[in-house]
Amino acid sequence: MRLSVDEDVFPIAGGFTISRGTRTESRVVTVRVEQDGVTGWGECYPYARYDETVDSVMDQLRAQSDALAGGMDRQALQDAMPPGAARNGLDCALWDWQAKSTGTPVWQLAGLPEPKPEITAYTLSLADPEVMRAKAAENAHRPVLKIKLGGAGDIERLRAVRDGAPNAKIVVDANEGWTAETYAQIAPVVLELGVAMVEQPLPAGDDAALAGMDRPLPVCADEACHDRASLPEIAGKYDMINIKLDKTGGLTEALALKAEAQRLGLQIMVGCMIGSSLGMAPATLVAQGAAVVDLDGPLLLAKDRPNPLSYDAAGVHPPAPELWG
């Protein structure tokens, strides 16, 4: 099996801001594997929060060329590479190759029910309250809005968004931007405004205070949960986990993480980085039946892959075979 890796850049429509900064483009790594005239592909998003760059991820992937040529399969990959963006791209490319080479869709290969559309959140990036009110009003027709917070003025932002979209379900993502004191101040407001969930309010690794706090609405672990090895550390602190393939290191571990988390009584959110439809496609399988789905990455881009995912009133649809899987 032969491996190729490339960088692709997708402009973000209008830019995107979270508590850690603003991005105007999405730089992803596209992974292709080819054997017997069949090519499978996948996409991953190197994330600086986890000390990943496009170059470092591409180097990690190229280091697997000999192993792939020697017959390394998807199961062996789980031990050969750590969780992260690089393994995600290769894992998803191998799933796609297997589907195309056998003529069997990935959901069948994985022993899953046939996937259906799932309602997805639409994310509003961090901005001044009036800007967020206007954006909320512009997207008030969407059933779920995800609000990026994490700084001074968050209560005003929340009230502005609720004013702009009075009927939308709202979930909040602080991106590790709060302290325990901030969370205690904001918790009554989020309840008053009917917020459904708060994602990663405190920094991962400095979140012990959550174990002793009242959690009147679900608190979701994002940066604090990567794969199954994370689960013991989040016990008692979180009620939900956000599964992202770039954290788990691919669809293989994402499905295993989902099953184990559900066994432990945790609710499931399935999220994404700002990637193209190719990056979202495998996650639509994990998203089936999740409490919160946040696979809006392509909606935030100014352009997408050919044969992109379909988004409509029913939600995000599973990929067509021409895209992936």
Side-chain angles (χ1 to χ4, degrees), residues 52-73:
E52 295 172 336
T53 66
V54 168
D55 288 340
S56 72
V57 165
M58 293 175 77
D59 286 344
Q60 289 179 61
L61 287 162
R62 289 178 180 129
Q64 301 303 318
S65 293
D66 288 346
L68 281 169
M72 181 178 69
D73 62 11

Side-chain angles (χ1 to χ4, degrees), residues 236-255:
K237 294 185 287 189
Y238 297 92
D239 313 288
M240 178 184 290
I241 63 167
N242 187 350
I243 300 175
K244 293 178 180 174
L245 272 65
D246 282 308
K247 293 188 302 175
T248 66
L251 177 62
T252 303
E253 175 62 21
L255 292 172

Side-chain angles (χ1 to χ4, degrees), residues 9-17 22-27 300-302:
V9 180
F10 295 90
I12 296 173
F16 189 79
T17 301
T22 299
R23 284 165 280 174
T24 59
E25 61 184 19
S26 173
R27 300 178 64 205
L300 306 176
L301 300 178

Side-chain angles (χ1 to χ4, degrees), residues 7-62:
E7 178 185 5
D8 285 307
V9 180
F10 295 90
I12 296 173
F16 189 79
T17 301
I18 64 172
S19 62
R20 285 187 284 271
T22 299
R23 284 165 280 174
T24 59
E25 61 184 19
S26 173
R27 300 178 64 205
V28 304
V29 175
T30 303
V31 183
R32 291 178 176 84
V33 292
E34 189 273 329
Q35 184 177 338
D36 300 328
V38 177
T39 300
W41 69 339
E43 175 185 300
C44 62
Y45 183 101
Y47 195 30
R49 168 64 177 80
Y50 305 129
D51 299 320
E52 295 172 336
T53 66
V54 168
D55 288 340
S56 72
V57 165
M58 293 175 77
D59 286 344
Q60 289 179 61
L61 287 162
R62 289 178 180 129

Side-chain angles (χ1 to χ4, degrees), residues 13 20 71 73 81 89 140 169-170 230 260 308:
R20 285 187 284 271
D73 62 11
M81 298 184 75
K169 176 180 177 180
I170 292 177
S230 306
E260 179 63 11

